[in-house]
Amino acid sequence: MSLIDLPLVKLTNPDPSFPALFVLHLNNGAENRFTLQFVEEITKALDFVESKLDSISGDEAARGGALITTSTGKFYSNGLAIEAAMEQGDLFYIPYLRMLARVLTFRIPTVAAINGHAFAGGCMFAMAHDYRVMRADRGWIAMNEVDIGIPLSPGMAAIVKCKITQPNHLRDCLLAGHRFKSSDAFAAGFVDRAVAEDKLMDTAMEYARKMAPKAKGFNQNLHLIKAEMYRETVILLLAGKTAPGGYLSKL
């Protein structure tokens, strides 16, 4: 059942008997590059989910809920629309980072069903989710800023660091721009499952249904647990400071 159908995103409820189960479909062209409009539409979809949760009560609320994000084709997301982002500066970056913080601390469980490549800003968006299920037969997940000559803001680096916790994998990701296949990402611990394309959504749905009861009642408990679990990352994402290396003048 379609709940919101915007130019760049579509929010659906795949199971009317489970009204707090949501799928957010990313539809910004073939590559799902993040533009200001894309960020704003994702934010509107998150707002709708929050308002919907507030309207659910009783036995339906006791079941909890979850949000899955996915797309179709070659890309989950190919990152930022770089030229537009650089031209807009903080007009783009601050809402984008705020949106990442919103997903990172969302009050119901979140699952990224990574249907294809997830590069740079698309990788960060996937990292903001609680769980990541990736297509096994096609697609890389990577932070390639080192190769395209773009430094990371404090919040961008932080969201990767809070999910890739092994130093050698973090080094390979950020300093080498390594393209992780799903099997490599699974072995490194930041993708939870690597599955065949035809099992991607079913597997994401398994995670969503399994974790949904953790948000029973739709209070702020899960949101606050995530906020404290990722406190340092959330602070940096919301700080409004997008310039990297601001402290280096002290060296």
Side-chain angles (χ1 to χ4, degrees):
M1 179 174 64
S2 179
L3 302 173
I4 287 183
D5 197 351
L6 298 173
L8 307 182
V9 303
K10 182 177 182 179
L11 183 70
T12 64
N13 167 233
D15 181 357
S17 71
F18 198 162
L21 184 61
F22 305 93
V23 177
L24 181 60
H25 305 264
L26 309 176
N27 297 320
N28 189 13
E31 297 187 359
N32 285 319
R33 286 189 177 269
F34 283 93
T35 61
L36 185 57
Q37 181 184 353
F38 196 28
V39 170
E40 289 173 344
E41 291 191 12
I42 291 171
T43 301
K44 287 180 182 178
L46 297 177
D47 290 342
F48 183 92
V49 170
E50 294 263 20
S51 66
K52 182 69 173 176
L53 296 177
D54 290 337
S55 73
I56 299 172
S57 59
D59 291 342
E60 290 181 339
R63 296 177 66 189
L67 171 68
I68 297 169
T69 68
T70 194
S71 189
T72 58
K74 184 177 178 180
F75 289 95
Y76 175 75
S77 171
N78 200 18
L80 310 184
I82 296 296
E83 291 184 2
M86 294 181 69
E87 180 179 340
Q88 292 171 325
D90 284 354
L91 181 66
F92 166 80
Y93 281 106
I94 289 176
Y96 171 73
L97 296 174
R98 188 182 300 125
M99 181 268 294
L100 292 181
R102 182 92 177 271
V103 175
L104 186 65
T105 62
F106 209 53
R107 64 168 158 150
I108 57 176
T110 56
V111 184
I114 305 171
N115 56 284
H117 303 309
F119 290 136
C123 174
M124 287 181 266
F125 182 66
M127 292 293 187
H129 293 65
D130 300 323
Y131 298 92
R132 281 157 296 285
V133 178
M134 191 170 176
R135 180 176 165 182
D137 59 320
R138 183 178 188 181
W140 292 302
I141 185 166
M143 292 291 292
N144 59 344
E145 283 79 1
V146 69
D147 294 318
I148 59 179
I150 297 178
L152 296 174
S153 73
M156 289 176 170
I159 201 165
V160 178
K161 289 165 63 179
C162 78
K163 296 300 178 81
I164 302 181
T165 57
Q166 296 184 42
N168 57 325
H169 295 312
L170 181 64
R171 176 199 61 205
D172 291 345
C173 180
L174 295 184
L175 299 188
H178 180 70
R179 295 183 175 192
F180 290 84
K181 296 184 296 184
S182 59
S183 56
D184 297 334
F186 173 76
F190 61 91
V191 161
D192 297 280
R193 292 277 295 279
V195 298
E197 181 184 13
D198 61 355
K199 300 294 185 183
L200 183 69
M201 284 305 297
D202 287 345
T203 306
M205 201 66 68
E206 288 176 15
Y207 276 92
R209 291 181 182 276
K210 177 182 177 181
M211 296 306 300
K214 302 301 181 183
K216 62 183 179 182
F218 307 133
N219 57 33
Q220 297 297 312
N221 186 54
L222 190 61
H223 166 64
L224 292 173
I225 289 173
K226 293 180 187 182
E228 291 305 321
M229 182 176 178
Y230 303 119
R231 172 190 280 260
E232 294 80 8
T233 299
V234 175
I235 288 171
L236 289 172
L237 287 169
L238 297 179
K241 297 179 181 179
T242 60
Y247 51 89
L248 292 177
S249 61
K250 298 179 181 179
L251 289 177

